[in-house]
């Protein structure tokens, strides 16, 4: 049995390696905050959430398949949580069974029988959930899942399993056939079905009539050892077969737990956002061949979870442009806006809801970030050296169709050098089909992009009112030769030093 709740054709690999850019994405986009809310402090939920979000889907059809399953989970969260708790209970009950380190085939068989009895009991409860609630789910993933349970876990199936488990307890002893080989050694050992007829009381006293039989003397250690070895050889094959069966069924519960853990994390995150008054919506994924990016009411979910309110939402419409340059006043919300775009893209490609009232974008081959860093405390390299090294790693990993989010890249050198480096790197990435969203205060860099490709660049600017206040709205607008740092100077030193004159 396969779960197939996250992919239509394969199980979700919840232990896969994270992509190489994962540490930068987590640090730059504030993903740790989202993961903590998705996991609720549960290490297993955290592991699944990281892989579910960062190991992106690459096809719109795969995204929609997961979105439909998520919609069912959002509509019936209590049922999803109940099934998840059932999988957790199964694993807990299995751990309570003593015998994991058994040595003999008989002990292994006894352990496997006990484990299978637990699994059968849990499968019955899972089938009951399918009977009672399966018709409430409408996504292809859950409809297939519940139909599989009802089809494969019928009454006849459970009756056969229970009969086998009853026989494997060997309450009337072990029946084994064997032949004699060289030196009267046992060969062709076969475990037979136990005797079905009940023995007469006389046979229990004087032994079975009409059959050849003998007793091993209680003090015949060699005889008992020989019989034990013969029994072990006969039981070994069925013990191995049952162990493999239990591992198969147990693997189903483990996989079901992992895939439901992702949706459980989504429920936790949505509860956290909605509880703070923030809306979410299912985005519209588009093929990579249709480059687009648009949003209404887009906000930074990490900031929303931390502050609990007062987060300004923005709109965005990028029609077929490979470069978006975001400029404007310092502390105007540019970095927050950039993070909100990156998070929405990642969540969309994870098959999740996004922090916006509407969102649509083409799928990307990968999302990368290049944000400014603090000075290297080890003093092994300068800031520009560190920036260029990280960019070199990104260039080695990113492919055509990818998205790169740059926040004040190459700002650690002077205006002329930073603009030249940025122009060459970003221009080369655009040429190979990489979409770049750039937050920068390098006016010369913005001006060069405007003069060389006026139709291929979208310019956005953080809004600043006439009195110097910030609205944190990002609107379409040309870059200005100032970031209005004097506003910050006046705010910080308004009660201290006088503002400098124009000539200072």
């Amino acid at each position: 049995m396969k779960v197939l709740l996250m992919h239509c054709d394969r199980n979700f690999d919840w232990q896969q390696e994270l992509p190489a850019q994962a540490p930068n994405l987590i640090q730059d986009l504030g993903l740790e905050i989202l993961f903590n809310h998705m996991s609720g402090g549960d290490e297993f939920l955290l592991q699944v959430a990281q892989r579910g979000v960062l190991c992106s889907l690459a096809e719109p059809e795969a995204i929609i398949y997961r979105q439909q399953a998520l919609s069912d989970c959002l509509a019936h969260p209590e049922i999803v949580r109940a099934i998840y708790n059932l999988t957790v209970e199964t694993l807990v009950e299995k751990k309570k069974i003593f015998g994991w380190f058994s040595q003999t085939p008989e002990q292994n068989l006894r352990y496997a029988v006990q484990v299978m009895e637990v699994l059968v009991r849990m499968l019955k409860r899972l089938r009951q959930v399918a009977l009672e609630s399966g018709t409430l789910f409408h996504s292809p993933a859950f409809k297939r899942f519940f139909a599989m349970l009802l089809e494969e876990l019928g009454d006849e199936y459970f009756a056969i399993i229970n009969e086998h488990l009853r026989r494997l307890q060997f309450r009337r002893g072990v029946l084994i056939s064997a032949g004699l080989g060289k030196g009267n050694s046992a060969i062709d050992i076969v475990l037979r079905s136990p005797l079905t007829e009940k023995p007469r009381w006389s046979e229990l006293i004087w032994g079975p009539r009409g059959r050849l039989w003998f007793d091993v003397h209680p003090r015949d250690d060699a005889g008992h050892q020989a019989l034990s070895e013969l029994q072990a050889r006969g039981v070994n094959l069925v013990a191995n077969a049952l162990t493999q069966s239990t591992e198969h069924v147990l693997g189903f519960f483990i996989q079901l737990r992992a895939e439901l853990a992702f949706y459980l994390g989504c429920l936790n995150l949505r509860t956290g956002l909605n509880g703070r008054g923030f809306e979410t919506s299912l985005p519209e994924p588009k093929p990579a061949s249709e480059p687009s990016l648009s949003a209404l009411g887009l906000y930074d979910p990490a900031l929303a979870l931390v502050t609990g309110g007062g987060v300004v939402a923005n709109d965005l419409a990028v029609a077929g442009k490979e470069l978006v340059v975001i400029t404007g006043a310092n502390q105007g919300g540019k970095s927050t806006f950039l993070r909100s775009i990156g998070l929405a893209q990642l969540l969309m490609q994870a098959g999740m809801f996004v922090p916006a009232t509407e969102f649509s974008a083409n799928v990307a081959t990968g999302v990368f970030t290049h944000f400014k860093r603090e000075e290297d405390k080890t003093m092994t390299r300068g800031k520009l050296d560190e920036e260029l090294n990280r960019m070199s790693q990104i260039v080695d990993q990113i492919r055509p169709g990818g998205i790169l989010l740059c926040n004040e890249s190459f700002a650690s050198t002077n205006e002329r050098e930073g603009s030249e480096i940025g122009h060459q790197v970003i221009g080369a990435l655009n040429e190979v089909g990489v979409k770049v969203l750039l937050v920068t205060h390098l006016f010369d860099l913005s001006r060069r992009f405007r003069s060389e490709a006026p139709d291929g660049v979208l310019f956005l600017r953080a809004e600043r009112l006439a009195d110097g206040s910030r609205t944190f709205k990002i609107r379409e607008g040309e870059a200005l030769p100032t970031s209005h740092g004097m506003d910050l100077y006046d705010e910080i030193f308004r009660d201290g030093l006088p503002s400098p004159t124009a000539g200072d």
Side-chain angles (χ1 to χ4, degrees):
M1 296 187 296
K2 289 189 176 182
V3 178
L4 303 182
L5 292 179
M6 293 183 66
H7 298 280
C8 64
D9 56 352
R10 67 185 187 277
N11 283 331
F12 170 64
D13 185 1
W14 53 277
Q15 294 178 307
Q16 62 186 303
E17 292 291 331
L18 292 174
Q21 71 270 26
N24 286 333
L25 290 173
I26 294 173
Q27 178 177 350
D28 295 337
L29 300 182
L31 277 168
E32 185 175 356
I33 298 173
L34 267 65
F35 292 150
N36 288 338
H37 275 76
M38 292 180 72
S39 67
D42 187 299
E43 287 296 326
F44 182 75
L45 289 180
L46 176 62
Q47 180 180 356
V48 173
Q50 289 175 336
R51 280 142 185 87
V53 172
L54 294 171
C55 300
S56 300
L57 301 172
E59 298 294 336
E61 294 79 11
I63 295 174
I64 293 173
Y65 179 85
R66 195 175 293 179
Q67 284 181 349
Q68 292 171 334
L70 176 59
S71 296
D72 271 341
C73 295
L74 296 175
H76 308 287
E78 68 288 346
I79 300 176
V80 174
R81 293 184 186 275
I83 299 176
Y84 179 81
N85 291 336
L86 177 61
T87 65
V88 174
E89 183 183 349
T90 301
L91 301 180
V92 171
E93 289 297 318
K94 182 257 180 186
K95 290 182 179 179
K96 292 180 180 179
I97 301 174
F98 178 77
W100 181 256
F101 299 104
S102 300
Q103 299 296 324
T104 67
E106 294 90 342
Q107 291 173 328
N108 289 333
L109 178 60
R110 190 178 305 113
Y111 172 75
V113 168
Q114 292 176 334
V115 172
M116 183 59 79
E117 288 175 342
V118 170
L119 296 177
V120 169
R121 187 168 68 250
M122 296 303 179
L123 285 174
K124 288 182 178 179
R125 290 173 56 182
L126 188 59
R127 181 177 183 270
Q128 189 62 32
V129 174
L131 285 170
E132 296 175 353
S133 307
T135 56
L136 301 176
F137 290 72
H138 306 289
S139 65
F142 275 99
K143 288 176 65 176
R144 188 215 65 84
F145 175 74
F146 287 125
M148 176 197 67
L149 294 179
L150 296 177
E151 179 180 352
E152 299 192 15
L153 302 180
D155 293 335
E156 182 180 358
Y157 171 82
F158 288 119
I160 293 174
I161 288 184
N162 288 331
E163 176 62 20
H164 284 307
L165 292 177
R166 185 188 66 80
R167 290 186 176 186
L168 290 174
Q169 292 176 5
F170 299 119
R171 293 174 179 173
R172 295 194 57 205
V174 179
L175 182 61
I176 297 174
S177 66
L180 293 177
K182 293 180 179 181
N184 287 334
S185 62
I187 62 173
D188 300 328
I189 298 175
V190 178
L191 180 68
R192 301 294 182 179
S193 297
L195 297 174
T196 55
E197 68 275 11
K198 294 183 179 180
R200 298 184 180 93
W201 65 269
S202 59
E203 292 180 344
L204 294 175
I205 298 175
W206 293 293
R209 295 182 179 180
R211 302 176 188 172
L212 297 176
W213 62 281
F214 66 89
D215 286 328
V216 178
H217 194 278
R219 298 180 64 179
D220 184 358
D221 294 337
H224 283 288
Q225 179 66 27
L227 284 179
S228 297
E229 292 176 357
L230 182 63
Q231 177 175 316
R233 292 173 64 183
V235 169
N236 187 54
L237 290 177
V238 70
N240 290 337
L242 184 58
T243 299
Q244 291 177 5
S245 297
T246 58
E247 289 176 352
H248 173 74
V249 180
L250 187 63
F252 169 77
F253 277 101
I254 292 174
Q255 186 64 38
L256 179 58
R257 179 195 180 199
E259 301 205 11
L260 289 178
F262 172 77
Y263 293 114
L264 196 63
C266 294
L267 294 176
N268 293 340
L269 179 59
R270 189 169 185 262
T271 299
L273 290 172
N274 290 170
R276 291 165 172 78
F278 295 97
E279 295 184 19
T280 58
S281 63
L282 291 177
E284 179 186 2
K286 294 187 177 182
S289 58
E290 301 177 17
S292 62
L293 177 59
S294 62
L296 294 177
L298 179 66
Y299 63 91
D300 181 352
L303 183 61
L305 291 170
V306 171
T307 62
V311 177
V312 177
N314 278 283
D315 302 335
L316 176 67
V318 181
K321 299 183 184 297
E322 292 297 321
L323 177 59
V324 179
V325 178
I326 307 168
T327 61
N330 287 320
Q331 303 296 319
K334 302 186 297 297
S335 298
T336 300
F337 178 66
L338 189 66
R339 282 195 300 269
S340 67
I341 296 174
L343 287 170
Q345 184 77 31
L346 281 175
L347 296 179
M348 182 193 75
Q349 294 198 215
M352 297 174 59
F353 47 77
V354 296
T357 54
E358 292 183 19
F359 186 84
S360 176
N362 63 281
V363 294
T365 56
V367 179
F368 296 79
T369 57
H370 188 267
F371 282 38
K372 62 181 178 180
R373 295 280 192 267
E374 298 299 325
E375 189 77 45
D376 182 9
K377 295 181 179 180
T378 64
M379 299 301 292
T380 58
R381 59 179 57 178
K383 290 188 67 174
L384 180 60
D385 184 18
E386 187 274 335
E387 281 193 81
L388 293 175
N389 182 67
R390 276 192 294 123
M391 182 60 74
S392 176
Q393 295 175 3
I394 292 173
V395 171
D396 291 338
Q397 299 165 10
I398 201 167
R399 294 182 290 131
I403 295 178
L404 174 60
L405 310 176
C406 295
N407 186 21
E408 301 291 2
S409 297
F410 316 118
S412 54
T413 184
N414 59 58
E415 171 93 10
R416 182 180 62 82
E417 291 181 348
S419 297
E420 180 62 29
I421 295 172
H423 180 264
Q424 293 190 27
V425 172
I426 295 173
L429 290 172
N430 281 161
E431 288 180 3
V432 298
V434 174
K435 183 184 296 183
V436 179
L437 289 88
L438 170 68
V439 169
T440 183
H441 71 268
L442 298 175
F443 177 70
D444 185 54
L445 178 60
S446 302
R447 183 176 57 185
R448 293 182 66 175
F449 282 132
R450 164 57 69 190
S451 62
E452 294 179 4
D455 298 327
V457 184
L458 174 64
F459 284 91
L460 302 175
R461 189 171 70 229
E463 186 177 54
R464 171 186 177 272
L465 301 181
D467 61 358
S469 60
R470 275 68 165 160
T471 65
F472 305 106
K473 285 288 187 179
I474 308 297
R475 306 188 186 280
E476 190 168 348
E478 296 289 336
L480 300 176
T482 177
S483 295
H484 299 283
M486 289 300 301
D487 295 338
L488 301 180
Y489 181 90
D490 291 338
E491 180 180 350
I492 295 173
F493 292 107
R494 65 179 53 160
D495 297 325
L497 298 174
S499 299
T501 62
D504 290 338

